Amino acid sequence: MTKQIDLKQDGVEPVWVETACVQIEGERALQVTKTERLEEHDIDTIAKVKDVLFHNGVLEVDMLSRLLPEAPAYARGFIGIAFRILPDNTEFESFYLRPTNGKTEDPVRRKHGCQYFAYPGYTFDYFRRHAIEGFEAPAEIDLNCWMHLKAVIEDSRAAFYLDGSDTPLLCVDNLKHGGEARGQIGFFVDTGTEGYFKNLKVTCWD
């Protein structure tokens, strides 16, 4: 079953974020901004889509990231999706992009264009401190540009595609909450990001 979801402010539940329906480049989009717990990262700063329960299937959405005027120096325009969110928000999986890393001349930062993490605990910091690789990849992206994200999720595997490419940007073969997890979907932003989302399409296989 495939559903095109009209993103309205009353159709999402904000968690540590503020949401608004706005016009951007002549189109309506959902704006999501992290407003609390600003010094905590890879946490439940999400806007949950109401009335959608997801296990396996395909998520597609267009996203655009801007830096807020007060964004700290470490801000990267963090923007992405969350899925299989438990009702009390205590667990979910997430994939996000770091647009400022996409075209930087810093070769180290360019390697960190996108990130998978699982809340709680499996943060980018956890993976790096334990030298666990395979959950980040480079991405040819930039701020202030629409990006089309497609996530194909089946049991404990996920593949993430960008801008219609047939080659995954990142594949994760061992989603940290396992193949049986299910829950809501949502949009993720982190400190310093003003994120915009439109054209959400959800295909559920079960």
Side-chain angles (χ1 to χ4, degrees), residues 191-204:
T191 303
T193 298
E194 184 176 77
Y196 298 88
F197 301 86
K198 66 179 183 179
N199 299 328
L200 175 64
K201 184 166 71 171
V202 180
T203 301
C204 294

Side-chain angles (χ1 to χ4, degrees), residues 163-194:
D163 294 334
S165 174
D166 293 329
T167 303
L169 190 63
L170 182 71
C171 289
V172 177
D173 292 326
N174 54 337
L175 295 174
K176 295 305 180 182
H177 295 312
E180 298 302 316
R182 63 183 64 228
Q184 289 176 258
I185 61 173
F187 306 118
F188 172 84
V189 297
D190 214 327
T191 303
T193 298
E194 184 176 77

Side-chain angles (χ1 to χ4, degrees), residues 11-152:
V12 296
E13 175 189 344
V15 183
W16 309 115
V17 299
E18 289 183 355
T19 62
C21 278
V22 300
Q23 289 287 321
I24 177 171
E25 299 178 353
E27 294 190 77
R28 191 177 68 180
L30 182 73
Q31 181 189 66
V32 183
T33 309
K34 181 176 178 178
T35 53
E36 301 181 67
R37 300 170 69 188
L38 297 180
E39 297 307 314
E40 300 176 66
H41 309 294
D42 286 7
I43 59 169
D44 52 336
T45 49
I46 52 179
K48 297 166 60 178
V49 178
K50 296 179 180 178
D51 303 323
V52 177
L53 185 64
F54 183 84
H55 176 221
N56 288 334
V58 181
L59 306 176
E60 294 186 70
V61 69
D62 293 324
M63 311 184 303
L64 182 146
S65 175
R66 293 175 175 171
L67 290 181
L68 293 166
E70 67 274 17
Y74 62 78
R76 299 289 182 258
F78 314 99
I79 187 169
I81 59 170
F83 54 96
R84 297 176 174 175
I85 308 167
L86 293 189
D88 60 1
N89 308 321
T90 54
E91 287 186 359
F92 62 85
E93 317 274 2
S94 182
F95 172 85
Y96 64 84
L97 297 160
R98 299 185 180 99
T100 66
N101 286 1
K103 296 183 179 179
T104 180
E105 295 182 1
D106 183 337
V108 175
R109 280 180 54 191
R110 284 183 71 93
K111 294 179 181 178
H112 304 309
C114 66
Q115 176 81 54
Y116 159 82
F117 83 97
Y119 178 82
Y122 294 99
T123 65
F124 79 93
D125 182 62
Y126 173 88
F127 292 134
R128 291 185 193 177
R129 280 190 292 107
H130 292 85
I132 301 172
E133 298 182 344
F135 297 111
E136 293 182 85
E140 290 291 326
I141 51 178
D142 206 351
L143 292 168
N144 300 306
C145 296
W146 285 107
M147 303 168 284
H148 182 78
L149 177 65
K150 177 181 176 181
V152 181

